[in-house]
């Protein structure tokens, strides 16, 4: 499994929880995302933007840690894994509910991570939270096992079709990171939202909600991932995390629907204009023939020789 939502076989992790310059940057993002396709079959190895966004997280946030140790929630590699875009210099531990490629430890309880407090420099989870009945409990566990100053990376859909594995429970919008911070602090966790944004869609139509949290106070030296994605929307970034940049009134799916409705309206107007032209032409021809009975008779003669 990989926890990636487009995998033909899904991880049981979290399922059992209750189961110009700008354009160049955008083009580079989509080109790198497209490199997640299998060369032989052309089939996406994973949800096409997931690996690229994960790669950027490791590059922006995880690479500077002392003795870096990564925990991957939902790590089974069915057709792709975040492990593949993580530096081999970093220790990497993958957990899942079933044994398989990429799984270092099988969990007995998806709500309990069998590690000591403050073990990992970073925790990553891609395309799993939407399938969990109670992802907020997983959120607390990841914070517990993070070291002070460590980062939690969550990638979950902000749009997309119903895809139960075995359940599909949630979609995530630009305010969700603030809500998780509120929840974490009420449970005694010192957690801070460093950035959140809705990533631009690529070939498969999904818009990822990306959230990066930090355990403990401090200033992140990292350049926000969102600053490298001009197409990102609903952006929040430290230190002004309360300011919503590039807001949108409609969800990504609603934006698509609205665009299609506008296109249909334009096509209907074009069809109506053509129908008026055809009717006017018919009327002009009828008026011409009525004014020239000899032409009308000639036409009748041609039809009935």
């Amino acid at each position: 499994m990989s926890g990636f939502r487009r995998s033909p076989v899904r991880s049981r992790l979290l399922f059992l929880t209750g189961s110009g310059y700008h354009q160049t940057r955008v083009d580079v993002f989509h080109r790198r995302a497209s490199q997640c396709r299998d060369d032989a079959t052309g089939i996406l190895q994973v949800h096409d933007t997931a690996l690229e966004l994960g790669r950027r997280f490791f590059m922006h946030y995880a690479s500077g840690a002392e003795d870096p140790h990564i925990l991957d929630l939902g790590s089974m590699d069915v057709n792709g894994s975040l492990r593949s875009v993580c530096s081999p210099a970093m220790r990497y531990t993958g957990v899942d509910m079933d044994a398989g490629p990429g799984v270092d430890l099988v969990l007995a309880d998806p709500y309990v991570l069998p590690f000591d407090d403050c073990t990992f420099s970073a925790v990553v989870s891609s395309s799993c939270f939407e399938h969990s009945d109670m992802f907020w409990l997983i959120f607390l566990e990841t914070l517990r096992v993070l070291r002070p100053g460590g980062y939690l990376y969550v990638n979950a859909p902000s749009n997309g079709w119903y895809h139960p594995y075995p359940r599909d429970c949630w979609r995530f919008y630009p305010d969700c990171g603030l809500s998780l911070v509120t929840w974490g602090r009420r449970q005694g966790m010192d957690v801070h939202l460093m950035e959140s944004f809705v990533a631009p869609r690529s070939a498969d139509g999904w818009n990822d909600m990306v959230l990066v949290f930090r355990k403990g106070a401090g200033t992140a030296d990292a350049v926000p991932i969102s600053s490298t994605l001009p197409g990102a929307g609903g952006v929040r970034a430290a230190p002004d995390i309360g300011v919503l940049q590039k807001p949108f009134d409609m969800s990504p799916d609603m934006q698509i629907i609205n665009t299609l409705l506008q296109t249909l309206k334009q096509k209907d107007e074009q069809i109506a204009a053509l129908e008026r032209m055809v009717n006017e032409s018919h009327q002009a021809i009828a008026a011409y023939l009525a004014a020239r009975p000899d032409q009308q008779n000639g036409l009748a003669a041609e039809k009935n020789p």
Side-chain angles (χ1 to χ4, degrees):
M1 150 258 47
S2 83
F4 296 109
R5 67 180 72 85
R6 299 306 302 278
S7 300
V9 180
R10 291 290 303 190
S11 165
R12 287 175 60 232
L13 175 66
L14 305 188
F15 304 165
L16 299 185
T17 61
S19 319
Y21 169 77
H22 282 179
Q23 188 59 47
T24 299
R25 291 277 186 95
V26 173
D27 290 345
V28 167
F29 174 69
H30 291 313
R31 183 169 68 251
R32 286 177 174 167
S34 69
Q35 291 169 355
C36 301
R37 293 179 181 273
D38 183 270
D39 292 335
T41 65
I43 297 174
L44 287 169
Q45 295 176 330
V46 296
H47 166 56
D48 62 351
T49 54
L51 285 185
E52 175 57 20
L53 289 166
R55 184 190 71 82
R56 294 191 184 207
F57 167 76
F58 290 130
M59 180 177 66
H60 285 241
Y61 289 97
S63 59
E66 182 178 349
D67 185 24
H69 190 180
I70 310 299
L71 175 65
D72 185 350
L73 296 174
S75 62
M76 189 187 296
D77 186 349
V78 170
N79 59 357
S81 169
L82 288 181
R83 191 189 296 254
S84 67
V85 292
C86 181
S87 168
M90 299 181 185
R91 285 189 293 160
Y92 202 99
T93 300
V95 297
D96 212 312
M97 295 302 295
D98 290 308
V103 180
D104 301 301
L105 180 66
V106 177
L107 298 177
D109 183 338
Y111 290 124
V112 178
L113 298 175
F115 305 104
D116 293 336
D117 295 355
C118 309
T119 298
F120 299 95
S121 60
V123 179
V124 296
S125 177
S126 187
S127 303
C128 288
F129 273 33
E130 70 268 28
H131 298 289
S132 170
D133 280 354
M134 295 179 286
F135 62 85
W136 47 90
L137 297 184
I138 304 291
F139 178 72
L140 292 179
E141 269 293 271
T142 62
L143 295 177
R144 181 186 65 79
V145 302
L146 266 178
R147 302 172 191 166
Y151 293 99
L152 166 62
Y153 168 83
V154 176
N155 182 321
S158 187
N159 73 328
W161 52 85
Y162 177 66
H163 59 297
Y165 293 97
R167 299 182 183 182
D168 186 7
C169 308
W170 313 101
R171 293 295 180 270
F172 295 81
Y173 289 154
D175 292 338
C176 65
L178 298 178
S179 296
L180 281 169
V181 166
T182 300
W183 161 250
R185 290 178 179 174
R186 286 183 67 88
Q187 303 305 310
M189 295 292 183
D190 185 10
V191 57
H192 302 263
L193 180 64
M194 305 312 299
E195 69 169 309
S196 63
F197 61 90
V198 179
R201 70 172 50 83
S202 189
D204 68 358
W206 291 92
N207 286 91
D208 296 324
M209 183 75 225
V210 174
L211 305 113
V212 179
F213 301 91
R214 176 186 171 101
K215 182 178 180 178
T219 301
D221 296 327
V223 175
I225 302 169
S226 54
S227 68
T228 68
L229 293 173
V235 177
R236 296 186 185 277
D240 299 320
I241 207 70
V243 178
L244 182 62
Q245 307 171 42
K246 301 181 182 178
F248 48 79
D249 296 328
M250 293 182 287
S251 68
D253 281 349
M254 289 301 299
Q255 293 175 25
I256 294 174
I257 292 171
N258 185 64
T259 299
L260 291 174
L261 289 175
Q262 293 299 320
T263 301
L264 287 173
K265 181 180 178 181
Q266 293 174 0
K267 297 301 181 183
D268 286 341
E269 291 173 350
Q270 293 173 358
I271 292 171
L274 289 172
E275 289 176 341
R276 287 194 298 270
M277 291 175 61
V278 170
N279 290 334
E280 290 170 357
S281 298
H282 286 168
Q283 293 173 6
I285 292 171
Y288 175 79
L289 293 176
R292 300 289 300 273
D294 55 329
Q295 293 289 339
Q296 189 171 11
N297 293 335
L299 291 173
E302 289 179 5
K303 293 181 181 178
N304 302 291

